[in-house]
Amino acid sequence: MTPRRQSRRAPVTSPAAATVFTTVLTQGPVSRVDVARRTGLSSAAVTKAARPLIEAGYLAELDSEQGGVGRPASPLEIRAEREFFLGIKITDRELVGVVTDLRAQVLLTRFHPLSSCKLDAVVDGVAAMVTELLAESKSYKQRTHCLGVTIAGDVDRESGHVRYSPFLHWRDVPLADLLAEKVDLEITVDNDVKAITVAERWFGNGIGADSFALVTLGTGIGCGLVVNGRVVTGSHGVAGEIGHIPVFGDGPLCHCGATGCVEAIASTDAIVDQARTTTGERDLTIDEVITGARMGDEALRRVFARAGVAIGRGLAAMANLVGPERIIVSGEGLDAYDLFAAEIRETFGTQAFGAAAHCELILRPLPFEEWARGAAAIAVQTLFLSATTPGAVWGQPSPTRR
C-alpha cells in the first residue's frame, strides 16, 4: 500500500478551540467578545484558543473597529483558502465531485458517468476523479488533505463500511479501506443525507436553529436531523429514516422489506411504477408522468396526490416525535412539488399534534452538486474534530483514519 501522508490538522486541541473555530466558521466575522458571549467561554479562554489558529493561518484578525465604549474590537474571520477539501457523491449512474474551501464554497465541479456499479469500477472512478480534481490547481494539490465520500444507504461512518446501499446493491462493503489503497488523502465515508445536513447546519438554512430536519425527495426519501445543535446519528448509525416510516397499511412492498413505507409510495421510482400500472404504459418516464399530470390527467394526478399524503404523514410523524423548529424540504423531487404541495401541507397540518403543526416548512432547490458539497462538508468536519473529545462539537463519531 502506498504510504499515506500525515494530515496537517488545524491546532484544535481542546473542546474550547473547537467551539471557537466553529463559531467563527459559521458566524464570522465575529469579535472575541461576541464569541465569548455566544459560547459561554471566558474572554481569556477565547483568546487562548484562537491564538494557535491565527498562527497556523486558519483564522485572521481583521482591522480593529470601534464598537462603542471601550477598546476597539478586532473581529476574527476564517481564512477560507487556508485548506481545500474534496467531496464526491456516488450515485448508481455517476460520480459528482467538488473542490471547496473551508466554508464549503464550491470552487470546482466535475461529473463522471459510471460504466458499472461494480465495486472495483466505482473505487477506480473515485480515485480517477480525485486525481483530476487535484490536477486543476497547484494549490489544490498542496493544500488538500481530506476527502469526503457519500452514498445513499446505511453507512457506518466510524469504520467506513457501507452496510447497505439499495441503489448500488452493495452490502457490507469496506469502502474507506478500499479507497485508502488508491487515494492519498484522509477519507471519511458517510450517508449522503447526513452529510448535506452537516452542510445545512453550518452554511445553510440550519444556521441559528437549535433543531431542524432536512428531508430530501427523489430516487430515495431521506431525512437528516439536528437536535440540540447536534446532528443525530443514532446508536447504530441509523436515524431520521423518514422514508421507511409505514404510512399506508395496504401500501406496496418497499425494498427494505416492509410495506407501505413513504419511499415505496412517494419516491421518484415509486411514482413512475404507480403511473405505469395505472395507465398501462410500461415505458413512461418521470418527466412524462409530471407533464401528463400537469396537463390534467386525473389518474396521474391521483398518483401524485397519494404521494403527497404519504410525505405529509411522514413529516408529521417526525415533527411529533422530534419537534424541530423548521423542516427543510429539498431534492430533485421538488421538480414536481406543485403536484402534491397541497396534499403535503394539508396532511401535515392534520396529522401534526398541537403546536407541532406550526413547524416552519422551507422549500429549497438542491442542485446535484450540492450533494457533493455535503461530502466536502464532512471532510471539513473531519479536519477540525476535537482531538480530546471526538464528536463533542460536531455531533458525529470520529472518522476512519489511516
Side-chain angles (χ1 to χ4, degrees):
M1 183 185 300
T2 303
R4 296 184 53 72
R5 77 176 82 169
Q6 292 295 313
S7 176
R8 299 177 185 177
R9 291 187 165 275
V12 179
T13 56
S14 68
T19 298
V20 169
F21 179 79
T22 53
T23 302
V24 180
L25 176 69
T26 59
Q27 303 175 37
V30 59
S31 70
R32 287 178 174 82
V33 172
D34 280 340
V35 172
R37 178 177 57 81
R38 297 176 193 183
T39 64
L41 295 171
S42 69
S43 294
V46 172
T47 297
K48 180 180 178 181
R51 185 179 299 118
L53 289 164
I54 293 169
E55 292 172 351
Y58 288 91
L59 297 183
E61 291 184 287
L62 303 183
D63 292 339
S64 297
E65 51 186 43
Q66 186 71 47
V69 178
R71 293 182 298 177
S74 298
L76 296 173
E77 173 66 293
I78 291 292
R79 290 188 61 191
E81 296 195 355
R82 172 61 177 82
E83 194 85 22
F84 299 107
F85 302 85
L86 301 188
I88 296 178
K89 154 73 171 167
I90 301 173
T91 79
D92 59 343
R93 298 181 181 88
E94 66 178 350
L95 303 175
V96 186
V98 297
V99 179
T100 77
D101 62 16
L102 266 168
R103 289 192 181 280
Q105 297 177 102
V106 176
L107 307 174
L108 177 69
T109 304
R110 290 287 182 269
F111 296 85
H112 282 185
L114 278 175
S115 59
S116 168
C117 290
K118 291 183 178 179
L119 184 56
D120 288 347
V122 174
V123 170
D124 288 343
V126 171
M129 177 166 273
V130 167
T131 299
E132 180 179 330
L133 291 170
L134 293 180
E136 286 289 327
S137 165
K138 185 176 180 180
S139 294
Y140 295 166
K141 200 162 191 177
Q142 292 175 339
R143 300 207 299 274
T144 300
H145 306 284
C146 297
L147 164 68
V149 178
T150 60
I151 189 169
D154 181 2
V155 181
D156 180 356
R157 171 172 168 156
E158 189 166 3
S159 67
H161 272 63
V162 178
R163 290 185 287 223
Y164 172 51
S165 177
F167 307 118
L168 294 173
H169 308 290
W170 289 358
R171 287 190 182 273
D172 196 27
V173 171
L175 186 58
D177 288 331
L178 295 172
L179 288 173
E181 295 177 5
K182 295 178 178 288
V183 176
D184 186 25
L185 296 171
E186 186 163 359
I187 300 163
T188 304
V189 177
D190 206 349
N191 169 269
D192 54 355
V193 177
K194 285 191 176 114
I196 289 224
T197 305
V198 170
E200 204 68 30
R201 170 83 175 107
W202 294 346
F203 311 112
N205 291 118
I207 293 175
D210 189 55
S211 64
F212 72 91
L214 171 69
V215 176
T216 57
L217 309 179
T219 305
I221 294 181
C223 178
L225 294 173
V226 169
V227 177
N228 295 327
R230 296 164 63 101
V231 177
V232 177
T233 60
S235 60
H236 301 289
V238 177
E241 287 291 344
I242 189 175
H244 298 289
I245 293 176
V247 291
F248 277 100
D250 59 346
L253 181 68
C254 182
H255 63 78
C256 73
T259 56
C261 294
V262 176
E263 192 166 299
I265 297 160
S267 68
T268 301
D269 290 346
I271 288 172
V272 171
D273 286 345
Q274 292 168 68
R276 289 173 176 174
T277 300
T278 297
T279 63
E281 298 180 36
R282 306 308 303 170
D283 296 324
L284 278 178
T285 65
I286 185 60
D287 290 339
E288 291 169 337
V289 176
I290 292 172
T291 298
R294 285 178 176 155
M295 290 179 67
D297 186 311
E298 288 301 321
L300 296 181
R301 293 185 71 86
R302 284 194 294 272
V303 170
F304 281 104
R306 189 166 186 251
V309 171
I311 295 167
R313 288 178 178 176
L315 294 179
M318 187 260 299
N320 291 342
L321 287 169
V322 180
E325 295 175 38
R326 64 190 64 146
I327 299 174
I328 304 159
V329 182
S330 194
E332 65 269 25
L334 275 188
D335 291 344
Y337 188 75
D338 59 298
L339 295 170
F340 47 50
E343 288 78 11
I344 290 176
R345 292 187 180 277
E346 180 181 350
T347 304
F348 178 78
T350 301
Q351 297 289 322
F353 177 74
H358 300 303
C359 175
E360 181 183 14
L361 294 181
I362 298 174
L363 307 181
R364 55 157 291 186
L366 189 68
F368 218 77
E369 57 266 28
E370 286 291 301
W371 290 99
R373 180 176 181 255
I378 64 168
V380 176
Q381 182 187 55
T382 297
L383 185 62
F384 295 101
L385 277 168
S386 170
T388 56
T389 53
V393 173
W394 311 103
Q396 296 279 13
S398 299
T400 300
R401 297 189 177 95
R402 294 169 180 77

